[in-house]
Amino acid sequence: MRVDYSPASVDPGFFYHLLTAVVVPRPIAWVSTLSPDGRTANLAPHSFFTVSSARPPVVQFTSVGRKDSLRNVEDTGEFVVNFAPEPLLAQINATATDFPRHEGEFDAVGIEREPSLRLKPPRVAASPVALECTLHSTLRLGDSTVVFGQVVHAAVREDVLVDGRPDITLLRPLARLGGNEWSTIGKVRKAARIPYREPAAG
C-alpha cells in the first residue's frame, strides 16, 4: 500500500518537505560571496548542491528564493564553495539564519576567514576544502535559481589527503536530511564497478 501525492493538489510547502525528506542525504555547499561594494562577506549553506561537469569543472547550487548568495553572485560573478565538515555543524547551522543583507555571517557568527587565491570572496579558514568559482550561468526554475560555477581553483588542506586524494574519513562531511535533521557519513562501504563482458563465443 502506498500513499499518493500530486504536486498540483497539495500545498507547495508540503511537497518541499516531502522532497527534502526523500532526496537524502544531500551534500552542503557552504557558499561565501562578497557584496558588490566589497564591504559585506556573506556565508550561507545550500543543500541543493552537486557537480554539473568534470571537464570543464562546474559545480551547481540552488537558491530557493532570492537570497544574498544569489544576489552577490549575480552582481560580482564570483563565489567560493567551502566544504561543510562535521566539527563545524554549529557554525554552518548558524549561517543559515536570515541575517539582514548588510550584516555578514562571517562577522555575525564569528567565523575566521582567509583570502582566496583567485577571487575576492573570502574562504572559511577552518574548512578543509575550498572551491573558488566564477559564474558560468544561472537557470530560473519556478521560485528557485540554479547557479552554475566554473571551478577556477581548488584548495585542499594537506591533513585530509591520503596518497594525494581527499579521504572521506578525514573530511567528515555533513549532509542534510529532512526537517531539521543532519547526517554524517556513518559506515563507508566499497564496491568496485562491474565491467561488462561480452559472452564467450560458442
Side-chain angles (χ1 to χ4, degrees):
M1 176 73 72
R2 294 178 186 263
V3 179
D4 297 310
Y5 301 99
S6 169
S9 60
V10 298
D11 180 77
F14 172 85
F15 215 81
Y16 167 85
H17 290 294
L18 175 65
L19 286 176
T20 55
V22 299
V23 183
V24 291
R26 298 187 309 281
I28 301 164
W30 202 13
V31 177
S32 54
T33 58
L34 200 62
S35 62
D37 61 10
R39 295 180 180 178
T40 306
N42 176 264
L43 181 64
H46 296 266
S47 69
F48 294 0
F49 167 57
T50 192
V51 176
S52 305
S53 167
R55 297 180 183 178
V58 176
V59 296
Q60 69 181 72
F61 74 92
T62 298
S63 175
V64 180
R66 292 196 55 78
K67 298 179 179 177
D68 292 343
S69 298
L70 173 61
R71 295 189 185 100
N72 288 344
V73 170
E74 289 177 334
D75 290 340
T76 67
E78 298 183 343
F79 65 95
V80 178
V81 174
N82 302 276
F83 189 89
E86 182 182 350
L88 300 183
L89 171 58
Q91 294 96 317
I92 295 166
N93 188 50
T95 59
T97 301
D98 190 19
F99 290 101
R101 183 163 168 75
H102 65 274
E103 188 172 353
E105 286 79 4
F106 278 95
D107 296 332
V109 178
I111 295 174
E112 184 180 356
R113 67 185 84 183
E114 69 180 22
S116 293
L117 183 69
R118 300 277 303 274
L119 308 179
K120 292 181 180 179
R123 307 190 299 221
V124 175
S127 175
V129 182
L131 303 177
E132 299 181 15
C133 304
T134 56
L135 178 61
H136 176 279
S137 57
T138 60
L139 175 63
R140 185 72 181 269
L141 295 170
D143 68 347
S144 300
T145 303
V146 186
V147 177
F148 298 92
Q150 182 157 345
V151 181
V152 296
H153 182 73
V156 184
R157 210 168 60 206
E158 192 174 21
D159 62 358
V160 299
L161 296 174
V162 174
D163 296 329
R165 295 187 177 185
D167 182 86
I168 193 69
T169 60
L170 299 176
L171 288 171
R172 299 174 64 189
L174 282 170
R176 287 288 281 122
L177 306 175
N180 292 322
E181 298 170 331
W182 302 66
S183 72
T184 55
I185 57 170
K187 184 178 181 180
V188 177
R189 300 183 180 184
K190 293 185 178 181
R193 291 189 180 184
I194 302 173
Y196 175 78
R197 291 184 175 87
E198 293 283 353

